[in-house]
Amino acid sequence: MSITSYFRFRHKASGFTLIEMVVTIVIIGILGVGISSFIGNTTKGMVDTAERSQIATIAWLVSERLSRSLRHALPNSIRISSSDSRCLEYIPIYAGTDYLGVPVTVSASQFEVAPFSNIASGFNFATQPMRVAVYPNSDIGLYTLTTTSMISSEVSQLNAGTTTNAQAITLSSSHQFPLDSPNNRLFLVTEPNMYCFQSGLLVHYRDYGYNTVFSDSSSDLSNETVMGSRLGQGLNQGKFNYTPSTLQRNGVISIEFKVVGDDSLVHSVNQEVQIRNVP
C-alpha cells in the first residue's frame, strides 16, 4: 500500500457519518429522559414516604398525649364545649389513697389518710397547689368551690399523723364534704386543664383556676401550650365526645381529628380513652 492510500484510509475510518451522530444523540436523549424520570420518581417517592411518616408521627404523638393526660381525669370531671365539641376540660388527679376519716358532718381543716405512694410527708404544696376531692359522683357543682363542695380548699401541709403509719392532711381552711365515699377513697387534684382544637392546632391550657360555668374563651384561660400542629380545620376540625360512666362500665372519651399533609394527604384518627367510674 502506498503512503497516499494509507492516509486516505486513516482519514476515512476515523470519522462518523451524520446518521451515526443522529442515532447517538437520540439514544443519549432517550437514556437521559429515562434516568431523569427514574431519579424524579424515586425522589418523589422518598418525599411522599417522608411526608406520610411525618403526619403519622404527628397523629401518634397527639393521640398519645391526649390519652395519657385524660386517663388521669377525676371521675365525672369531663366537660366539653357544647357549641362545637372542640374543647375538653377535666380535673387531673395527682395522687389517691384511702382515708381514715374526713369531715362530713362538721367542718375541719385536718384529717388522716393512708400514706400516699408518690407523696412523702413534708411535700411543698406551694410549688404544686392541690386540693382534696372526695366522692365526685356527679359533675353538678364539681367546679364550684365552696366550704361544702366535693373539692376542698387548698392543701397546706402533709405530715405524719397521730395514727401509726398514717399521714395527716392540713387544709388552708376548714371544709365539710357533702358525702362520704363508700370505699373511703380520696384524691389529690390539681387545677383544671383544657385541650382545644383551634386553627389547625391542639392547644393545652392550665393553671387558670376553677370556673363554675364552662368557658373556652382565650380571655378566661392561661398558660397556653401548642401540643400538635397540621390538624384539620373547618369541617375537618378535631372534636371530643364523652359518654358518662355507669355502675357497669367506665366513662369513654372519643377523640376525632385529622392530620393534613401536602398534596391533599390526610391521616384520620379516632381514639377512645376510658375514664374511671369509681369515685
Side-chain angles (χ1 to χ4, degrees):
M1 178 183 294
S2 65
I3 295 176
T4 304
S5 299
Y6 173 77
F7 280 108
R8 287 178 179 175
F9 176 79
R10 287 284 306 271
H11 178 72
K12 182 179 180 181
S14 61
F16 294 95
T17 65
L18 180 60
I19 295 177
E20 290 174 332
M21 292 180 64
V22 171
V23 170
T24 303
I25 293 172
V26 171
I27 294 174
I28 293 174
I30 293 173
L31 291 175
V33 171
I35 292 172
S36 62
S37 177
F38 173 78
I39 294 175
N41 291 336
T42 302
T43 303
K44 187 177 185 303
M46 293 177 63
V47 171
D48 289 345
T49 300
E51 180 71 7
R52 291 178 183 276
S53 177
Q54 185 176 24
I55 67 170
T57 300
I58 293 174
W60 180 83
L61 289 174
V62 170
S63 177
E64 190 68 12
R65 172 68 185 187
L66 287 171
S67 298
R68 290 190 179 188
S69 298
L70 296 176
R71 288 192 189 106
H72 296 285
L74 183 71
N76 298 308
S77 69
I78 305 299
R79 299 201 298 188
I80 296 176
S81 54
S82 57
S83 58
D84 50 17
S85 302
R86 67 180 180 86
C87 290
L88 178 146
E89 184 178 32
Y90 72 103
I91 301 173
I93 295 174
Y94 188 90
T97 188
D98 298 331
Y99 59 78
L100 305 186
V102 292
V104 175
T105 56
V106 294
S107 296
S109 60
Q110 189 178 79
F111 47 90
E112 292 187 325
V113 299
F116 291 98
S117 61
N118 58 336
I119 303 181
S121 297
F123 182 85
N124 186 4
F125 288 96
T127 59
Q128 179 61 73
M130 296 186 208
R131 300 173 186 268
V132 175
V134 174
Y135 200 43
N137 63 335
S138 171
D139 61 343
I140 299 176
L142 190 60
Y143 285 82
T144 302
L145 300 181
T146 66
T147 56
T148 58
S149 59
M150 290 177 280
I151 297 179
S152 72
S153 55
E154 290 188 355
V155 178
S156 58
Q157 293 181 4
L158 179 65
N159 300 314
T162 57
T163 304
T164 304
N165 296 328
Q167 289 179 318
I169 293 178
T170 303
L171 303 177
S172 59
S173 61
S174 295
H175 190 82
Q176 180 180 347
F177 294 98
L179 293 171
D180 238 332
S181 168
N183 295 319
N184 289 358
R185 289 296 294 166
L186 171 150
F187 301 102
L188 286 184
V189 298
T190 58
E191 297 291 294
N193 281 216
M194 184 180 295
Y195 284 100
C196 286
F197 290 106
Q198 51 187 223
S199 302
L201 305 173
L202 175 65
V203 183
H204 178 220
Y205 299 97
R206 61 183 178 86
D207 300 333
Y208 51 84
Y210 285 78
N211 297 316
T212 301
V213 179
F214 180 89
S215 174
D216 56 3
S217 172
S218 57
S219 61
D220 298 327
L221 304 174
S222 62
N223 286 347
E224 175 182 342
T225 304
V226 175
M227 307 304 299
S229 61
R230 302 182 68 179
L231 306 180
Q233 302 185 48
L235 296 176
N236 292 328
Q237 184 172 252
K239 62 180 181 179
F240 300 96
N241 183 56
Y242 177 55
T243 303
S245 61
T246 65
L247 293 176
Q248 292 77 28
R249 59 167 177 78
N250 290 329
V252 177
I253 297 175
S254 299
I255 308 166
E256 297 179 16
F257 64 93
K258 295 180 179 180
V259 184
V260 180
D262 296 333
D263 297 329
S264 301
L265 186 62
V266 177
H267 186 97
S268 300
V269 178
N270 193 330
Q271 175 80 5
E272 290 187 349
V273 182
Q274 293 194 12
I275 307 299
R276 68 186 74 193
N277 68 336
V278 181

